[in-house]
Amino acid sequence: MSRAYRHNLNGSSLEPGTRQLEIEAVALRFGGVQALQNVSLDVCQGEIHAIIGPNGAGKTSLLNCISGLYRPQEGHIRLHRSDGPPHDLTRTRPSRVARLGVARAFQNIELFKHMTVLDNLMLGRHVHMKHSVWRSFLYYGPARRQEIAERQLVEEVIDFLEIQAVRHAHVGALPYGVQKRVEVGRALCLQPAVLLLDEPMAGMNTEEKEDMARFILDVNALAGVTVVLIEHDMEVVMDISERVSVLDFGRKITTGPPADVKTHPQVIEAYLGEEVS
Amino acid sequence: MATATGVYHTSYEADLALRKTRAEWIRLGLIVLLVVSAPFLLNPFWLTVANQIGIAIIGAVGLNILVGHTGLISLGHGAFLGVGAYTSAILVTRLEAPTLVAIGVAVAVTTVIGTFFGLPSLRLKGLYLAMATLAAQFILLFAFRNWDFITGGTDAIVVASPEIFGFTLRTDFHWYWVIFGVAALVVFAARNLFRTGLGRAFHAVRDQDIAAAVMGIHVGRQKLLAFAISSGLVGLAGAMTAHYRTIVTWERFTLDVSVLYLAMIIVGGLGSVAGAVYGATFMTVLPAAIQQLARNVRDTIPMLGREIPAIQLIVFGLVIVLFLLFEPRGLDRTWQRVKDYFRLWPFRY
Ligand SMILES: Nc1ncnc2c1ncn2[C@@H]1O[C@H](COP(=O)(O)OP(=O)(O)OP(=O)(O)O)[C@@H](O)[C@H]1O
Ligand SMILES: [Mg+2]
C-alpha cells in the first residue's frame, strides 16, 4: 500500500548545502583515556555524512557529545538555524538538544522495551505535544484530540518503515532487525533537523541491510533530512554517503567524498591493511 | 468492533478506547453493580473494611504512579499520608475551614512536601533513593510527634464529622458513597493519564532514562512530577482518613504504613492502575478476614484469638514473599491469565 505522505519529516529550515552542524576542536577525556582529540568537522544540511573508524575510535562518543550526553572538555558544537544565532550543543542538556531537532538512534538498541511499537513512536512526538496534568486526567477533549492528531504522522512513519503489522506489539518481543527499524522510526517521528544513526545496520543480514539503506536514502532524498551515519560496512558507506569522515584513536584523519577517502593513505593504515573496497 | 475473527477498528478513537469489546463493557457493568449494591448487603464490620479499601485504592494508585509507572521508590508515603491527614484536621479544628477547602489545601501541601522530598531522585536511584525517602519518613514522623504547637504532639486531634453541602457525613453508609465516588474518579483520572503523552513519558523514564532524555523528555522534571502527582493523591487519601475516622494520631503514619502500601502495589501489579486497585483490596481484606476467622474459632482454639496480630504479620509477610516468588507482576497478571484462558477456552492446551 502506498499513499502520498502529508507530513514533512524534515525539521530544518536551512537551505540545503549550508553548514548545519559545526564541530570545532572537540576534545573529550575519560580520566586517562583521550576519547576525542581536536576533532573538527562540518555537516551540511541535506547530506548523508558517514563517520567511520576502527573500534574504539570515538565515533559513538562524538555522537554523545552532539546529543548532549557527554560534555567535551574543549571545543564547541554549533547547530545552525535559519532564524537566529546557532545553539552551542556542548552547553545544552539532552532533552533540549532533542527539542532543537537532533534525533538519535543508538548503537545498542535503547527502545522502551515494555511499551508497544506505537507508544515508542508516539514518544518520538513528545517534544511536539503539549502536556498538562489536568488535560491528561480528563483525557476526553484536548488530550485525545492531540493523541489522534499526532497519531497521523506516526502512522505515516509506520507506513514508510513498513512495520504496520507490529504496531501493537511490545518491542521487547520483536526480532532484532525490526527493533532497529523501530528505533530509527522513533527518531524520525521527531521530525528531525539532523538524524544521528549509530550503526543502524549492525548485526543485520544482507536483505535487512538493503531495506535499511533504502529507508535512509529515502529519508534523505525525499524528505531532505540531514543524516549523520556511523557504519562499519564499507560497501554501504561508500554507496550511500556523500561525504565521509574518518576517526582513528580519537583524532580525525580526513573528511571527503567516499572515493577520495578510500584511497587516503592514513585511512588505509588505520584499517591496518584491511581491504577498503 | 469485535467479531468472531478479531477486533477491528475503523477510527483512531476506537483504537484508543479503553474498552473495545462488549465483554469488557459487561465486566465494567458488573463491577459498577457490585460497588453500588455492596453497602446494602455488607454488615457493619465489612462496610468499614470496604471504606478502608476505598481509601487504600486512592493511596495505592497514587504510590503506583511513582513506583510502578516511573520506576522510583519511596518509603516516605506513610508519612505523606500523615501530612494530608494532619493538614486537613488542623485546618478544620484550628481555623474552622470548611471540610472541602481543608482537603483541597491538604492535597496541595502534601504535593509540595512530597515533591520536596523527591528532590534526591534527581541524583539518586534504587537503594539510595529508598534511603533518602526513608529519611523523609522519619523527619516527618518526628515533626508529627514533637511539633506540639502545630500537630498537638502525641495527643490525638479529634475532628468533628464533616458537613458537606449541608449534609453531615456520620455513618459508614454515608461515607461509602463519598469514598467510592472519589476513588472512582481517581482511578478514571489515572487510567486516562497513562493513555496520553504525559503518562507515556513516565513509562519512558522508567524503561530507559537516557533514551527518554534524548527523545526530549526532561527527566528530572518528569521525576518530580511523578512525586508531585503521587504524593498529591496520597495526601488526598490521608485527608479523607482524617475526616472519616474523625481522629488523627501519628501512629497511623509510621514506616509500617509505607511498607503496607508498597506491598499493595507489588501484590496488585506494579505499573498497572487496575493492579493498584486489586492490591489495595486484597491487602485490606486479608487482615480483616484473618481477624474474623480467628474470632470465629476463638472459643474452640483460644490461643488463636490471642495471637491475631502475630498471625496477621506472618500471613502478611508470607503473602508478599509468595507473590514475589510466583507472581512478581501481581494480581493484575493473574487476571490477564484468567481472561486469556477463557478467551481460548474451547482450545485448551
Ligand atoms: N562513558 C565512558 N567512560 C569511559 N570511557 C569511555 C566511555 N565512553 C567511551 N569511552 C572510551 O572512549 C573510547 C571511544 O569509545 P567509542 O564508544 O566512542 O568508540 P566507537 O568508535 O563508537 O567504537 P565502536 O565501533 O566499537 O562502537 C573507547 O576507548 C572507550 O573505552
Ligand atoms: Mg560505537
Side-chain angles (χ1 to χ4, degrees):
Chain A
M1 193 176 72
S2 77
R3 69 175 193 203
Y5 293 108
R6 285 182 294 132
H7 297 276
N8 182 8
L9 291 179
N10 186 3
S12 173
S13 54
L14 282 175
E15 280 296 309
T18 52
R19 187 169 62 177
Q20 185 168 25
L21 203 55
E22 181 190 357
I23 298 166
E24 188 198 303
V26 164
L28 177 72
R29 279 182 297 274
F30 296 103
V33 179
Q34 188 83 38
L36 294 171
Q37 240 176 104
N38 195 25
V39 173
S40 300
L41 61 93
D42 289 342
V43 176
C44 299
Q45 210 292 312
E47 73 171 340
I48 297 183
H49 194 122
I51 296 176
I52 64 171
N55 289 106
K59 306 180 294 292
T60 301
S61 300
L62 183 62
L63 286 206
N64 283 345
C65 291
I66 300 173
S67 293
L69 292 172
Y70 289 168
R71 291 259 169 278
Q73 280 86 2
E74 290 161 36
H76 297 279
I77 299 174
R78 295 191 191 85
L79 181 69
H80 292 268
R81 50 189 183 145
S82 58
D83 50 353
H87 294 281
D88 190 344
L89 302 185
T90 55
R91 291 184 220 296
T92 314
R93 63 171 175 272
S95 60
R96 178 103 183 96
V97 173
R99 265 171 210 281
L100 297 174
V102 179
R104 168 90 183 264
F106 292 86
Q107 181 170 1
N108 310 306
I109 301 171
E110 305 282 10
L111 286 166
F112 306 114
K113 280 198 191 62
H114 302 290
M115 292 190 227
T116 62
V117 170
L118 207 49
D119 280 340
N120 271 276
L121 296 181
M122 285 295 283
L123 273 159
R125 298 303 297 156
H126 186 85
V127 299
H128 297 281
M129 296 167 81
K130 283 201 174 67
H131 302 283
S132 136
V133 174
W134 294 112
R135 284 179 177 183
S136 294
F137 279 164
L138 269 178
Y139 183 68
Y140 297 95
R144 184 165 78 155
R145 269 203 299 282
Q146 176 170 259
E147 289 294 313
I148 290 168
E150 300 301 337
R151 177 79 180 266
Q152 319 252 347
L153 183 139
V154 166
E155 287 291 337
E156 283 199 1
V157 172
I158 288 176
D159 282 352
F160 175 71
L161 292 175
E162 296 162 12
I163 47 177
Q164 296 92 337
V166 294
R167 57 159 85 69
H168 286 297
H170 285 260
V171 286
L174 294 173
Y176 180 83
V178 181
Q179 290 195 22
K180 278 273 184 195
R181 212 183 269 194
V182 173
E183 205 183 355
V184 172
R186 185 178 65 180
L188 270 180
C189 284
L190 208 101
Q191 284 177 300
V194 180
L195 184 59
L196 309 177
L197 301 177
D198 198 345
E199 303 196 19
M201 300 170 204
M204 286 185 166
N205 62 33
T206 313
E207 212 170 310
E208 288 171 326
K209 274 187 189 176
E210 281 174 5
D211 280 341
M212 184 59 84
R214 180 163 53 85
F215 295 137
I216 295 171
L217 282 170
D218 279 355
V219 166
N220 178 258
L222 301 180
V225 178
T226 312
V227 178
V228 177
L229 173 73
I230 297 180
E231 186 48 57
H232 275 297
D233 189 320
M234 282 308 152
E235 273 180 66
V236 173
V237 169
M238 298 302 159
D239 267 0
I240 70 175
S241 46
E242 272 159 67
R243 289 199 299 157
V244 181
S245 292
V246 187
L247 289 182
D248 188 26
F249 288 115
R251 292 175 191 276
K252 194 187 85 169
I253 297 179
T254 179
T255 297
D260 297 358
V261 167
K262 204 158 44 173
T263 53
H264 195 285
Q266 265 179 290
V267 176
I268 295 170
E269 191 184 333
Y271 278 87
L272 219 77
E274 262 182 68
E275 193 78 4
V276 185
S277 50
Chain B
M1 182 171 38
T3 69
T5 50
V7 181
Y8 294 105
H9 301 300
T10 49
S11 73
Y12 292 137
E13 280 94 337
D15 195 31
L16 292 170
L18 285 178
R19 289 166 205 285
K20 294 163 183 165
T21 63
R22 189 182 302 167
E24 284 168 323
W25 279 104
I26 292 174
R27 226 154 37 216
L28 180 67
L30 285 178
I31 291 171
V32 171
L33 198 69
L34 185 76
V35 171
V36 170
S37 58
F40 299 101
L41 305 174
L42 295 174
N43 67 27
F45 175 82
W46 285 106
L47 191 56
T48 309
V49 173
N51 283 339
Q52 288 167 357
I53 291 174
I55 290 174
I57 286 175
I58 300 170
V61 167
L63 181 63
N64 210 5
I65 289 176
L66 183 75
V67 181
H69 293 277
T70 317
L72 300 169
I73 179 98
S74 166
L75 285 171
H77 270 56
F80 297 164
L81 208 63
V83 173
Y86 271 103
T87 309
S88 202
I90 290 166
L91 286 174
V92 172
T93 52
R94 300 253 185 105
L95 304 178
E96 291 176 11
T99 309
L100 285 182
V101 174
I103 292 178
V105 175
V107 170
V109 169
T110 319
T111 305
V112 171
I113 289 184
T115 312
F116 173 75
F117 283 112
L119 285 173
S121 71
L122 299 180
R123 294 278 154 176
L124 305 177
K125 280 183 185 175
L127 271 180
Y128 300 95
L129 182 60
M131 293 311 289
T133 52
L134 186 63
Q137 170 73 35
F138 285 123
I139 291 167
L140 287 169
L141 209 67
F142 178 86
F144 298 156
R145 294 177 57 177
N146 295 294
W147 290 2
D148 296 17
F149 57 103
I150 306 178
T151 62
T154 46
D155 294 337
I157 303 181
V158 179
V159 191
S161 282
E163 211 185 275
I164 292 173
F165 301 129
F167 186 83
T168 310
L169 293 169
R170 209 165 277 123
T171 63
D172 270 321
F173 185 79
H174 293 157
W175 269 102
Y176 181 88
W177 301 105
V178 175
I179 289 172
F180 274 83
V182 174
L185 282 179
V186 167
V187 169
F188 179 68
R191 285 284 286 190
N192 286 342
L193 175 64
F194 291 106
R195 44 184 183 152
T196 64
L198 192 62
R200 267 195 302 273
F202 289 121
H203 291 164
V205 169
R206 174 194 65 190
D207 282 4
Q208 237 305 320
D209 56 352
I210 291 175
V214 170
M215 294 322 291
I217 296 167
H218 193 306
V219 174
R221 196 180 297 160
Q222 200 71 27
K223 285 180 175 176
L224 289 185
L225 187 62
F227 266 98
I229 296 176
S230 171
S231 43
L233 287 177
V234 170
L236 175 63
M240 288 181 66
T241 331
H243 297 286
Y244 167 58
R245 301 234 182 164
T246 65
I247 189 163
V248 178
T249 65
W250 63 271
E251 285 122 324
R252 293 230 172 91
F253 311 113
T254 54
L255 183 60
D256 297 14
V257 180
S258 296
V259 175
L260 172 65
Y261 271 87
L262 281 173
M264 284 180 195
I265 57 175
I266 290 170
V267 166
L270 288 170
S272 148
V273 177
V277 175
Y278 305 150
T281 308
F282 188 81
M283 294 311 274
T284 314
V285 166
L286 189 68
I290 293 172
Q291 197 185 333
Q292 279 288 328
L293 209 71
R295 203 171 279 167
N296 290 343
V297 297
R298 186 159 45 189
D299 299 328
T300 31
I301 321 170
M303 190 215 70
L304 273 184
R306 262 180 284 122
E307 301 295 338
I308 290 177
I311 296 171
Q312 278 176 333
L313 268 180
I314 292 169
V315 174
F316 181 82
L318 207 61
V319 164
I320 298 175
V321 171
L322 288 178
F323 263 95
L324 286 176
L325 278 178
F326 297 109
E327 190 71 297
R329 289 169 64 194
L331 287 166
D332 185 51
R333 181 80 195 103
T334 315
W335 172 230
Q336 301 292 342
R337 260 209 289 276
V338 171
K339 276 196 297 193
D340 285 346
Y341 177 82
F342 280 106
R343 197 161 54 80
L344 306 168
W345 181 51
F347 311 107
R348 266 174 286 169
Y349 47 85

